[in-house]
Structure formats: structure tokens, C-alpha cells
């Protein structure tokens, strides 16, 4: 499956602007990590794009209904298992780097975007130090579980500052691509 096919599949199942943007943000972070680890950029990006494919239709069951939507598209089992491996209760499935990366960037991408939205320069110049500060600010982005962010990052084996830098860089690249199309992550 190439990126365009993944994007079309995403659009078939996700109508919410918020979830669509989240998917693009996670794609961006996964692409940045694929480059960091020297892995398959399109595969990692597509996993980011499609990881929440079933969330809009099946919020209660998510991600357990993803196979139903991915199998008809001819996606292989390993890809499906990687989708199934993200989320709070799926730790035992996170057996390789792509799966660990997905869980480590999923909510962190949204957390970083929430911070960027409060800054005049948005993502530009956003440093790990500012993100660390917001991690400690319990009133900010309350729904995002800090312990989960830290646990999944440690499981991926990347230091906090590097983790933030990699994700921010990926988000900036994605923002440039989207701006050229008249769209935005923010
Ligand atoms: Fe999810
Ligand atoms: Fe997600």
C-alpha cells in the first residue's frame, strides 16, 4: 500500500477533522522515527496514518475493529498486529521497534501540537524544555496520561529531549507539506 492509498482509506473511514489531523500528526512522527532508525518511511508513515482507522466508527472497541477495515484493503497481518499493539492495554504486543514507536508518538504528537497551538511561532523553535514544563503542568491537556507518555518513550529507548526533537522535526515537515496544499496540522 502506498501513501495515497493509505490516505484514501483513512478518508473513507475518518470524517472528523480532529481525528484526521491527529492521524497526519502521528504519520509525521512515524516518518521522522523511520528516518531516525533507518527504517521503511512509507510503511511507518502508513501505520501512523491508519492506526486509529476504526476509532470514529467504533470508539468503544478501538483498536480491536481495525482488522475489519484494514483486511479488505489487502494490508498484511503484521501491519494489522502493529495497529492492534497500540493503546494502554496492549503492552505485550509491542515486541518490535515500529510498534514501540507507534505507542510512544501517538499521544505525544497530540501533546506537542497542543503546546504549539499556544505559541506565537507554533512548532518553530519548540524545545524539549518547554515540553517538559507542560508535562508537569497537570492542568494542561489533562486527558493525556503523562505516565503513559513516559512509559512508552522509555520502552522505545529514546531520551526525552531527543524524542521531542524527532517528533517536532517530523511535525514541521508535515506542516510544510500541508501548507503547500492549503491545509494545516494546527
Ligand atoms: Fe488509538
Ligand atoms: Fe492515535
Amino acid at each position: 500500500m502506498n501513501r495515497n492509498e493509505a490516505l484514501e482509506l483513512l478518508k473513507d473511514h475518518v470524517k472528523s477533522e480532529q481525528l484526521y489531523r491527529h492521524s497526519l500528526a502521528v504519520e509525521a512522527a512515524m516518518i521522522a522515527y523511520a528516518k531516525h532508525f533507518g527504517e521503511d518511511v512509507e510503511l511507518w508513515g502508513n501505520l501512523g496514518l491508519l492506526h486509529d482507522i476504526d476509532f470514529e466508527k467504533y470508539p468503544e472497541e478501538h483498536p480491536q475493529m481495525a482488522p475489519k477495515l484494514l483486511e479488505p484493503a489487502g494490508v498484511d497481518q503484521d501491519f494489522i498486529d502493529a495497529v492492534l499493539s497500540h493503546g494502554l492495554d496492549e503492552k505485550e504486543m509491542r515486541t518490535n521497534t515500529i510498534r514501540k514507536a507507534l505507542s510512544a508518538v501517538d499521544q505525544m504528537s497530540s501533546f506537542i501540537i497542543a503546546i504549539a497551538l499556544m505559541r506565537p511561532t507554533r512548532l518553530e523553535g519548540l524545545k524539549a524544555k518547554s515540553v517538559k514544563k507542560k508535562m508537569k503542568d497537570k492542568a494542561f491537556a489533562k486527558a493525556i496520561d503523562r505516565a503513559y507518555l513516559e512509559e512508552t518513550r522509555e520502552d522505545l529507548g529514546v531520551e526525552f529531549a531527543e524524542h521531542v526533537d524527532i517528533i517536532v522535526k517530523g511535525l514541521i515537515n508535515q506542516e510544510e507539506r500541508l501548507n503547500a496544499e492549503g491545509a494545516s496540522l494546527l
Side-chain angles (χ1 to χ4, degrees):
M1 175 181 283
N2 63 34
R3 180 179 191 253
N4 278 337
E5 290 163 338
L7 207 51
E8 286 312 308
L9 188 62
L10 179 68
K11 288 176 184 166
D12 284 346
H13 298 292
V14 171
K15 306 299 172 198
S16 140
E17 182 71 28
Q18 198 188 356
L19 184 56
Y20 183 69
R21 284 185 186 187
H22 168 70
S23 304
L24 288 171
V26 176
E27 179 202 23
M30 287 299 283
I31 287 174
Y33 261 113
K35 290 177 182 166
H36 177 76
F37 289 124
E39 296 286 348
D40 182 334
V41 167
E42 191 162 59
L43 173 69
W44 284 49
N46 287 348
L47 182 62
L49 275 178
L50 298 176
H51 79 286
D52 280 341
I53 186 84
D54 64 335
F55 187 80
E56 195 171 294
K57 284 184 179 155
Y58 310 101
E60 301 297 325
E61 293 94 336
H62 169 73
Q64 298 304 324
M65 296 303 274
K68 190 179 138 96
L69 306 181
L70 292 170
E71 276 161 9
V75 168
D76 68 32
Q77 191 59 45
D78 198 47
F79 189 98
I80 289 171
D81 287 343
V83 169
L84 290 172
S85 79
H86 89 275
L88 272 181
D89 306 322
E90 313 300 340
K91 195 173 180 222
E92 70 288 347
M93 285 190 77
R94 295 200 278 275
T95 49
N96 59 24
T97 314
I98 189 171
R99 297 181 189 186
K100 290 177 186 193
L102 177 62
S103 285
V105 306
D106 182 9
Q107 297 197 40
M108 193 56 164
S109 306
S110 291
F111 189 69
I112 289 174
I113 285 176
I115 296 169
L117 283 168
M118 300 180 66
R119 303 175 73 244
T121 56
R122 303 300 197 208
L123 289 161
E124 225 43 72
L126 178 52
K127 296 273 186 287
K129 214 173 97 185
S130 313
V131 178
K132 185 124 230 170
K133 223 165 150 187
K134 291 293 185 194
M135 292 281 285
K136 292 179 190 149
D137 179 354
K138 295 214 172 76
F140 178 78
K142 279 194 290 235
I144 297 183
D145 180 348
R146 309 315 202 251
Y148 178 78
L149 294 182
E150 282 298 84
E151 180 199 314
T152 51
R153 176 188 61 76
E154 281 168 18
D155 195 31
L156 182 61
V158 181
E159 292 299 323
F160 185 83
E162 188 175 24
H163 188 50
V164 171
D165 288 349
I166 291 168
I167 296 173
V168 168
K169 199 190 282 177
L171 293 173
I172 288 173
N173 287 340
Q174 183 77 300
E175 185 63 4
E176 281 168 1
R177 164 152 76 177
L178 289 171
N179 287 350
E181 298 164 358
S184 176
L185 272 182
L186 304 163

